Amino acid sequence: MNKTLMKIVLLLGYSVPFVFLAMYGDVAHGTMLLYGFMIIGYTTLCFFAIKSKQIGTMVIGNTLSWISSYICMQLAYTERWSWYFKPFRAETLMLILTVMACSIQILFALIKYKKTKDKKKEIE
């Protein structure tokens, strides 16, 4: 696939407000199921970003995901959210979850890079 097209597809995928949707499902419906979908979404996007060597796009995409989640949270903010995620505020938890997701994805990318580098050394 064309690199530019792959970047666009990844950025579109990352523009989904995964963290907001998971937190909204938790608050509105009392279900943790959407956190699982968030993990699946981030894992899928991470896999394709690593496979296509678009690590910079992955970091930019996570930032885009945080921005879209933050905007959605500001638009759909309810009074219940202010006490539901104690000891954190909803915005703080959203930032923590996004940073954790991005960190894990970068860790996987570094592990993959190290394995690839080690294989090249073995061949030589």
Side-chain angles (χ1 to χ4, degrees), residues 67-110:
I67 290 169
S68 66
S69 290
Y70 186 79
I71 290 169
C72 288
M73 186 169 290
Q74 296 305 312
L75 294 175
Y77 193 80
T78 64
E79 287 300 316
R80 295 189 306 175
W81 287 48
S82 61
W83 60 269
Y84 191 81
F85 295 109
K86 292 290 181 190
F88 302 111
R89 291 180 41 221
E91 293 87 358
T92 307
L93 182 62
M94 181 182 62
L95 180 62
I96 290 170
L97 290 174
T98 303
V99 168
M100 284 177 47
C102 187
S103 300
I104 291 169
Q105 290 176 51
I106 291 171
L107 180 67
F108 283 137
L110 290 174

Side-chain angles (χ1 to χ4, degrees), residues 9-10 15-16 40 43 59 71 80 88 113:
V9 169
L10 283 171
S15 66
V16 174
I40 291 169
T43 303
V59 174
I71 290 169
R80 295 189 306 175
F88 302 111
Y113 174 74

Side-chain angles (χ1 to χ4, degrees), residues 7 12 17 24 31 33 39 41 46 56 65 75 88-89 101 118-119 121:
K7 282 183 183 181
L12 285 174
Y24 179 78
T31 180
L33 182 64
I39 292 169
C46 177
S65 182
L75 294 175
F88 302 111
R89 291 180 41 221
D118 289 343
K119 282 184 182 179
K121 283 185 179 181

